[in-house]
Amino acid sequence: MSSTRRQTAVRRILLFALALVTAMSTHLISTGRAEAAPGPSFTNPVVGAPNSADPTLVFHEGFYYYVATTWTSDIVMRRSATVAGLHDAAEQLVFRSGGTGMWAPHLEMIGDRWYLYYSVEQTGGPRRTHVLESSGRDPLGPYTDRGIMDLMPDNGWAIDASLLRLGGNLYMTFSAFSPQDNLQSLYIAPLSNPWTASARGTRISAPTLAWERQDGAVNEGSFALQRGGRTFLTYSASHCNGPNYKLGMLEYRGGDPLLASSWTKQANPIFQRNDAAGVFGPGHHSFFTSPDGSETWIAYHANSSASQGCGTTRTTRVQKISWNADGTPNLGVPVSTTTALPGPSGEAGAAAAPVTLRNRHSKLCLDDRDWATAPGSAVQQWTCGGATVQDWHLTPASNGYYQVRNRHSGLCLDNYNFATTPGSEVRQWTCNGNNAQQWRISAAGEGFSTLANRHSGLCLDNYNFATTPGSEVRQWTCNGNNAQQWSIA
Ligand code: AHR
């Protein structure tokens, strides 16, 4: 090879190496995730006595909606744009049950309707679980009564109902006394629709461990927590009348979820009293996601004295949770009522923290192809690496739709050319707020979501079930399969 050609070859190698180093350094410089932008700070309790035990808190289209035990016949709801605003938010009557002693309302959206599950005492029979259905997408209602759930033999006692979506099916978990040993245990029943159990409950957990039997043997207040395909069923253990009421956890291990053998129980509690912080009997919780989808929070009740019990002294507290390296939730310890906490990320006015969108089938992340910045640029699936091209800001639009903006390009995920046919392209375009750039994020269960375009009605799809980096992302008829399921975290 002549010296000139050798010099050219060396120069090419050096240029390539320089380009490689530059790309790497750019990657490294811009890998850092933006700090989550918190909402207004607050201290606990976020809701004071008396209607403040057994809380359910959900965020929907710009507002939090809060329900809790009222001990009367009424279900009342609070609405606030921030957690900090819950404390002074007015209680709005959403339903008068006709029973007494309303306990533990669970509020959840299925499809385009809200469902409220709660228990009341009624003359002539035991306490049972009732269900309401909203007339539309407004959690405030109005609601119609869908009746009493048939969960235990002989119209038996059943409380603390909450929903579980698993394997494309809907289940109800609840608490009831076992006919075998009279232990108040956790049960699960399959649902044929949100208000009909297709079979009576089967027991999946009894209060057998010592920490479940303090002041009384109890398993109740179950709530599903799902992330990246794993399903945890968290619950309250021991009796609410004492300071040792606490949270435990089951994990679904596959198989028929109606069988106790499909679940394993954590040997130790995951959340319990913190005497140093003056928090006693923490339990009967729910989980909610921050407005920008980047954080998971817990809402629970607790007492401020070890001598208080199951009455109206229990107040609602909230705090952020984290995740252990092994993928299990880390609830930490209940914080004191003097601890000021930053509000959840992305609350009204606070800049949203970015999230990644990881496809369930390919396990690859939605990515701004080639770090492009020009309108019309492509998106792709690429190996998840935390770079800014894989960071997406979710900003609520209206009616449950979101703008999905890339942190590197500043462009929005766009139904290219307002297409409507399956297989149509998805690209990035200057954010303009039109329907082609609005995506409805809906729970698909097990910690995954689907994104449906407001103009086309089609879903964000891992085209042809690809699995290689650089694979295409397009729109396809929403069919709920794994290629259309994305974990948002
Ligand atoms: O707070 C009323 C009842 O007490 C709840 O339904 C139950 O979880 C708790 O034991």
Side-chain angles (χ1 to χ4, degrees), residues 53-54 69 71 103-104 119 159-160 184 218 220-221 240 245 284 301 310 314:
D54 317 315
T69 287
W71 301 98
W103 287 356
S119 75
I159 67 167
D160 293 2
Q184 188 185 339
V218 175
E220 62 185 17
C240 63
Y245 196 62
H284 203 123
H301 74 227
C310 295
R314 297 170 295 173

Side-chain angles (χ1 to χ4, degrees), residues 315-374:
T315 56
T316 294
R317 294 96 187 285
V318 303
Q319 55 191 74
K320 190 164 57 175
I321 75 166
S322 60
W323 296 90
N324 298 315
D326 67 0
T328 57
N330 184 331
L331 275 51
V333 296
V335 298
S336 77
T337 55
T338 56
T339 305
L341 298 172
S345 176
E347 283 190 343
V355 296
T356 55
L357 293 157
R358 188 166 182 266
N359 188 263
R360 184 170 194 173
H361 179 74
S362 68
K363 311 232 182 321
L364 300 171
C365 281
L366 185 67
D367 180 289
D368 165 15
R369 185 190 290 273
D370 300 334
W371 297 73
T373 56

